Amino acid sequence: MLNGFRIITSGVVLGAILLSGCNNSSEPDKAQQENSPVMNENPDSNTGETQNAEVIKKGVDDVIQSIKGLESEISTEADSGKIQEMGKEISSTWDSIEKQVEDEYPDWYERIEKNLYPLIGESGNPDKDLEKIKRLSEATKEDLQLFLEEVK
């Protein structure tokens, strides 16, 4: 009797497992298709470009804010460790959009980086030249502001 019970229990468990897999198919159902942005994307629309532009604008704004923070630090305490930390923040923020800018706006990318990388480098230099950092931060901010006007 115990052996029969095991066979029946095993059959029920196996049947439940098999039945639970019956609804899985390689085709997504309607609800999944409606919620998927890829499935509904109109190939004629420019939403991808618009989203990229928005990401770039947000990233550039963040870089500008980081540079303003660096300038504020220089004009108040000029704490070497804080300046270095803020330089790293600028670098990290730029890194988040750098590839997109390079791919979509190669000329602007080169122009921005002519001042941005020396700014980041100087902020990490143990013997910081505060005047040089000020000049580079102003030039970088100006380039980024002009770039923002170009991004559509």
Side-chain angles (χ1 to χ4, degrees):
M1 173 127 176
L2 188 58
N3 215 6
F5 179 74
R6 284 186 184 161
I7 291 173
I8 291 173
T9 305
S10 297
V12 169
V13 170
L14 184 60
I17 291 171
L18 290 173
L19 286 175
S20 69
C22 286
N23 195 21
N24 290 342
S25 69
S26 61
E27 295 294 318
D29 64 16
K30 280 278 190 209
Q32 287 174 324
Q33 286 180 349
E34 289 170 8
N35 291 333
S36 171
V38 174
M39 295 298 228
N40 290 334
E41 190 172 305
N42 179 352
D44 295 329
S45 73
N46 289 331
T47 55
E49 289 177 18
T50 303
Q51 288 173 343
N52 278 353
E54 291 305 313
V55 168
I56 290 172
K57 285 180 185 177
K58 167 96 174 76
V60 169
D61 280 335
D62 291 347
V63 173
I64 291 171
Q65 292 309 310
S66 295
I67 292 171
K68 286 180 179 178
L70 175 66
E71 289 175 330
S72 174
E73 181 62 30
I74 290 171
S75 65
T76 55
E77 301 170 35
D79 177 271
S80 183
K82 185 76 172 164
I83 291 170
Q84 183 173 356
E85 183 181 308
M86 296 181 98
K88 287 179 183 177
E89 178 185 320
I90 293 167
S91 177
S92 173
T93 306
W94 175 251
D95 286 349
S96 70
I97 59 166
E98 179 179 19
K99 184 70 176 144
Q100 287 176 289
V101 175
E102 182 179 20
D103 290 347
E104 296 178 38
Y105 304 93
D107 293 339
W108 276 105
Y109 172 78
E110 281 186 39
R111 178 175 172 174
I112 291 166
E113 290 205 336
K114 280 184 181 165
N115 291 313
L116 179 65
Y117 277 127
L119 171 63
I120 293 167
E122 189 61 39
S123 68
N125 194 345
D127 300 319
K128 293 168 184 40
D129 180 341
L130 297 182
E131 286 306 312
K132 185 175 183 180
I133 292 175
K134 286 178 187 177
R135 277 193 320 275
L136 290 168
S137 64
E138 279 300 317
T140 305
K141 272 193 333 189
E142 184 179 319
D143 287 343
L144 290 169
Q145 292 285 2
L146 292 170
F147 174 61
L148 274 178
E149 294 171 17
E150 289 287 316
V151 178
K152 294 184 172 47

